[in-house]
Amino acid sequence: MGRLSGKVAIITGAAQGMGAEHARRFIAEGASVLITDIDEERGTALAQELGGRAAFTALNVASEAGWAAAVALAEARFGPVTALINNAGIIGAATKCADLSEDEFNKVCAINQTSVFLGTKHVIPSMQRAGGGSIVNISSISGIVAIYGTPNVAYAASKFAVRGITKQVAIEYGKDGIRANSVHPGYIKTKMMTDALDDEGIKIASASVPIGRVGEVEDVSNLVVFLASDESGFITGSEYIIDGGLTAL
Ligand SMILES: NC(=O)c1ccc[n+]([C@@H]2O[C@H](COP(=O)([O-])OP(=O)(O)OC[C@H]3O[C@@H](n4cnc5c(N)ncnc54)[C@H](O)[C@@H]3O)[C@@H](O)[C@H]2O)c1
């Protein structure tokens, strides 16, 4: 028996990076997983790699119609949804506030923040049918503190908002057996990080982390599996920082 045996999960932004690792771990722990992403090629390939308990559907997390279709597909294929991992996100332009366009601000908020509202809204009836579920919202340490030297007010706004949505949903649906928690990674080695930092930048980032390294996707999956599993059954409305001690400084 895996730690997620019988769970039905939707994971967003799961074609690569942390989301792909979550999908791999969820399958290994016995869950059925609907992998979703805008990257159809990588998403389809991952679902094929993971076998019969995995499926892929294209989902732009900022689309409400897309969410309704994805939840219906997950239910039809695997049964009512019992885990939602709101992982998809973009970093947006590293631009100081006075130079940031409204369009860029709204784009980042739509993908990082409105998506979490939409996914939660559409999954809750399915979780109620299942008798409960776990929502894990991937925020950032940018949802806990401001990051000096990295101008990005849209990312900060959206990631702080994810923390707020999480707490409110947790108290609204606790009696339905639906839990919601947020995860706040620091530097994690994915394409998002390597797009933002060159090798020298990663070295500097590693040196700034008390544990002495940047995080790996597996570090975050360990936490996400725990939060999706019944092992965390009394945990809701909480925020989990996973940053090697960076924000403890
Ligand atoms: N990597 C880090 O250091 C780090 C740190 C803190 C938080 N995070 C957060 O973790 C999450 C995952 O990040 P990652 O590093 O794995 O990123 P990544 O860029 O490697 O992967 C993100 C995935 O999201 C998908 N995506 C982008 N826009 C989408 C949309 N509109 N709809 C659906 N899918 C979309 C991409 O196609 C990609 O597959 C993000 O929410 C990110 O903000 C990352």
Side-chain angles (χ1 to χ4, degrees):
M1 285 286 279
R3 293 162 71 197
L4 299 175
S5 276
K7 303 281 186 203
V8 174
I10 296 178
I11 308 179
T12 68
Q16 66 173 30
M18 286 188 237
E21 182 60 19
H22 302 334
R24 288 195 177 90
R25 282 292 304 280
F26 273 51
I27 292 290
E29 293 291 353
S32 300
V33 179
L34 183 63
I35 294 163
T36 71
D37 206 291
I38 49 173
D39 184 339
E40 299 194 27
E41 205 178 311
R42 281 205 179 87
T44 305
L46 180 61
Q48 276 166 3
E49 174 197 320
L50 295 181
R53 275 186 286 109
F56 171 77
T57 193
L59 170 63
N60 177 348
V61 286
S63 157
E64 179 153 23
W67 270 109
V71 174
L73 177 68
E75 277 219 8
R77 181 81 193 259
F78 302 123
V81 179
T82 48
L84 169 63
I85 316 303
N86 280 311
N87 164 79
I90 59 168
I91 197 150
T95 305
K96 283 174 84 172
C97 185
D99 299 316
L100 190 68
S101 73
E102 186 180 358
D103 280 353
E104 175 68 10
F105 182 89
N106 287 338
K107 183 178 91 181
V108 172
C109 288
I111 295 171
N112 291 0
Q113 170 186 340
T114 309
S115 63
V116 173
F117 156 65
L118 291 175
T120 302
K121 171 180 169 178
H122 283 274
V123 144
I124 279 171
S126 190
M127 289 186 169
Q128 286 169 326
R129 280 191 284 282
S134 172
I135 299 170
V136 182
N137 294 326
I138 309 301
S139 175
S140 166
I141 54 169
S142 294
I144 302 285
V145 294
I147 309 294
Y148 189 66
T150 309
N152 205 329
V153 75
Y155 193 74
S158 64
K159 293 299 188 180
F160 265 83
V162 168
R163 194 170 148 214
I165 294 169
T166 305
K167 289 187 189 298
Q168 188 62 36
V169 167
I171 62 169
E172 287 181 11
Y173 292 96
K175 294 239 167 44
D176 292 352
I178 298 174
R179 301 182 293 109
N181 294 286
S182 57
V183 168
H184 300 263
Y187 297 116
I188 310 294
K189 216 186 289 162
T190 65
K191 187 167 185 300
M192 180 178 281
M193 177 199 246
T194 52
D195 281 351
L197 298 174
D198 59 13
D199 286 352
E200 191 51 31
I202 293 177
K203 249 192 228 160
I204 295 167
S206 302
S208 72
V209 177
I211 271 185
R213 64 172 176 89
V214 296
E216 303 290 341
V217 290
E218 292 82 357
D219 292 317
V220 184
S221 291
N222 288 336
L223 175 57
V224 173
V225 165
F226 168 69
L227 290 173
S229 78
D230 296 338
E231 295 161 22
S232 57
F234 196 54
I235 298 176
T236 196
S238 292
E239 61 234 341
Y240 282 79
I241 296 171
I242 176 160
D243 68 350
L246 195 61
T247 52
L249 289 168

